[in-house]
DNA sequence: GCCAACGTTGGC
DNA sequence: GCCAACGTTGGC
């Protein structure tokens, strides 16, 4: 019998005025490439660890009410982020070699939007989530791992 | 708008 | 390899 690959859980941040969960829901095929990540830790996770079917929590940052607002899923594993080579792109990286991709991205697809967003302020009150990467002081990673336990708690709170 | 925390750059 | 300076993130 084939071993069932275990699903991993992640959280991605997006500024809603740039690309919100509603934008994702309205995108063609409700899918987008998660371009523009220019941080090595985040890149490594997208390039090396995110697998098809992995579950992604969608977080709105830099807004009046920072919150986890819904769920997406990985529909394409890591591949070169071509926007790094595009001079017109805000995330253009002049040091990214043409023949050797420096930055990677995955494709994610909309799954659902929470009826009630789980605000950062609220999440901080949940004792079972206190070690979540998102809630750690100074945590700025735009792609973060989430444990299965944390995910279970969040889904329960969001319904 | 402020500012703490963090990552990156580059001189030495 | 150290570390100061700088730029960015992102909550408040």
């Amino acid at each position: 019998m084939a071993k069932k690959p275990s699903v991993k859980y992640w959280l991605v941040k997006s500024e809603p005025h740039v690309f919100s969960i509603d934008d994702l829901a309205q995108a063609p095929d409700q899918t987008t490439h998660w371009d523009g990540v220019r941080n090595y830790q985040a890149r490594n996770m997208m390039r090396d660890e995110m697998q098809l079917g992995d579950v992604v929590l969608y977080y709105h940052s830099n807004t009046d009410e920072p919150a986890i607002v819904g769920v997406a899923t990985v529909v394409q594993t890591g591949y070169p982020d071509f926007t790094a080579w595009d001079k017109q792109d805000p995330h253009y990286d002049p040091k990214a070699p043409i023949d050797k991709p420096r930055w990677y991205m995955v494709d994610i697809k909309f799954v659902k939007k929470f009826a009630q967003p789980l605000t950062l302020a609220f999440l901080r009150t949940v004792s079972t989530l206190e070690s979540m990467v998102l809630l750690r002081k100074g945590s700025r990673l735009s792609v973060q791992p989430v444990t299965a336990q944390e995910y279970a708690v969040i889904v329960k709170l969001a319904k």
Side-chain angles (χ1 to χ4, degrees):
Chain A
M1 207 196 300
K3 195 168 128 194
K4 192 180 165 197
S6 58
V7 173
K8 291 193 197 133
Y9 302 89
W10 308 93
L11 177 145
V12 298
K13 294 181 183 173
S14 184
E15 305 191 18
H17 67 93
V18 177
F19 198 83
S20 71
I21 192 159
D22 294 323
D23 294 326
L24 181 61
Q26 286 156 28
D29 205 25
Q30 302 190 98
T31 298
T32 194
H33 45 256
W34 205 248
D35 62 280
V37 174
R38 300 289 180 266
N39 169 284
Y40 289 105
Q41 248 184 295
R43 176 206 68 181
N44 292 347
M45 288 187 273
M46 291 198 293
R47 187 189 58 186
D48 306 331
E49 295 185 51
M50 291 174 95
Q51 294 300 320
L52 286 185
D54 278 3
V55 178
V56 177
L57 293 169
Y58 203 102
Y59 177 81
H60 282 172
S61 66
N62 236 321
T63 179
D64 283 351
E65 193 126 273
I68 299 175
V69 292
V71 180
T73 186
V74 176
V75 292
Q76 171 66 244
T77 55
Y79 63 107
D81 179 349
F82 51 77
T83 67
W85 295 313
D86 178 0
K87 284 198 172 81
Q88 311 302 336
D89 192 275
H91 300 287
Y92 171 63
D93 178 2
K95 293 190 194 153
I98 302 293
D99 52 337
K100 198 162 155 261
R102 176 188 266 203
W103 303 112
Y104 282 74
M105 59 188 174
V106 297
D107 289 355
I108 65 169
K109 180 167 185 164
F110 177 82
V111 173
K112 68 177 161 194
K113 182 178 174 179
F114 293 154
Q116 198 64 28
L118 300 176
T119 68
L120 184 60
F122 169 70
L123 293 169
R124 289 197 190 284
T125 69
V126 181
S127 62
T128 44
L129 294 178
E130 65 187 1
S131 54
M132 235 190 132
V133 175
L134 180 71
L135 305 180
R136 289 196 198 138
K137 191 175 169 174
S139 170
R140 296 192 328 191
L141 260 187
S142 61
V143 178
Q144 309 177 348
V146 173
T147 68
Q149 291 83 352
E150 288 160 355
Y151 181 75
V153 169
I154 285 161
V155 164
K156 205 166 202 176
L157 291 169
K159 69 173 225 181

